[in-house]
Amino acid sequence: MTFTDVLRACARRWYVLLIVFALTAVGAVQAHRAAEPSYTVTATLVVVPSPSLVQARLPTSGSGGLTTNPFNAQTGGSTLAAVLADALNTAVVQDQVLAGGSGAASAGWDNQAAQLVELSTVSSTAEGASDLMTRLVAGAEVEVGRVQLDAGAPEDQLFTTAVGSPADYPLRSYPDRLRSVVGLALVGVLVALLAAVLLDRLVLAGARARARRSRRRAARREAARVSAEVGQAPAPVREPVP
């Protein structure tokens, strides 16, 4: 069956398309109304030296302005921000930081703003998204400290995190709404085409079958008439080949 045949079948059975499209529209409206919302909260952290680290770097300090923190003053904050963003995206850290929360969280690092870490949390409720952000901010501070301690930094000379931009109000969105409506519309179009083509083939097949039966009956009547005219018994009639 060619594309032209499909178009002809749809043109002949346009009422099937109309019915299926109407049902699809009703389903799409219901899917649009039934879509569940999600809530997103964003915030920004800055990796900065702690007051004790700043004091240790002062020329007047007891160490003469030196520190044993392996993350130096120039690039330490940027390096830690990148490491922190990667760590907060791992399942191991998230299982610890987000334990007890409901939803998902992510962190991002941009080398254009090297000491910033962008945080985002998503949940099915506004309270859940805000709670996740609170856990994420607190966990980020613990994680950045752990990274430095594992690298051999002294406990009193660490970089820490500070809130760059506070968590905003949970933003509501419907991420599944468009997918549901578009998916249902595509399924409706496919079902409408299949239904129109199948019905068209059934109707045409039935018409051909009725036409064959009509030809057979006409052939029998003609044979009976001819036999009656010559006074002979009706000769058997060969059935036309379908």
Side-chain angles (χ1 to χ4, degrees), residues 8 13 21 24 27 34 52 69 90 96 109-110 112 124 135 145 152 162 175 186 192 197-198:
R8 290 174 178 170
R13 312 302 163 194
F21 287 160
T24 301
S52 59
N69 191 322
T90 62
Q96 299 171 355
W109 176 73
D110 185 357
Q112 300 300 319
S124 58
R135 295 171 184 267
L186 293 176
V197 171
L198 289 176

Side-chain angles (χ1 to χ4, degrees), residues 29-79:
V29 171
Q30 294 300 322
H32 186 275
R33 292 176 177 174
E36 295 293 335
S38 68
Y39 295 84
T40 303
V41 174
T42 58
T44 302
L45 292 182
V46 185
V47 177
V48 295
S50 65
S52 59
L53 178 56
V54 173
Q55 180 65 30
R57 287 174 173 170
L58 292 176
T60 57
S61 68
S63 59
L66 299 177
T67 175
T68 57
N69 191 322
F71 298 92
N72 60 49
Q74 287 73 30
T75 62
S78 302
T79 303

Side-chain angles (χ1 to χ4, degrees), residues 83-221:
V83 173
L84 177 62
D86 289 339
L88 292 178
N89 287 323
T90 62
V92 175
V93 174
Q94 287 200 3
D95 287 344
Q96 299 171 355
V97 172
L98 305 179
S102 176
S106 62
W109 176 73
D110 185 357
N111 58 9
Q112 300 300 319
Q115 292 179 282
L116 294 181
V117 179
E118 297 178 350
L119 306 179
S120 177
T121 58
V122 180
S123 182
S124 58
T125 63
E127 295 79 8
S130 297
D131 175 64
L132 282 179
M133 182 57 69
T134 301
R135 295 171 184 267
L136 192 60
V137 169
E141 183 177 3
V142 174
E143 184 63 20
V144 77
R146 182 194 64 79
V147 170
Q148 295 172 86
L149 293 175
D150 290 347
E155 293 186 8
D156 60 343
Q157 298 178 19
L158 300 178
F159 283 87
T160 187
T161 58
V163 176
S165 60
D168 57 8
Y169 188 78
L171 298 178
R172 182 174 58 186
S173 62
Y174 294 86
D176 296 329
R177 174 177 284 177
L178 181 60
R179 289 196 296 268
S180 299
V181 172
V182 172
L184 189 58
L186 293 176
V187 171
V189 171
L190 180 60
V191 170
L193 293 177
L194 290 176
V197 171
L198 289 176
L199 180 60
D200 187 69
R201 298 190 70 173
L202 289 174
V203 171
L204 293 180
R208 287 193 293 268
R210 288 192 297 271
R212 287 195 296 270
R213 289 194 295 269
S214 297
R215 290 195 296 271
R216 290 170 184 163
R217 287 194 294 268
R220 292 193 188 98
R221 288 195 295 269

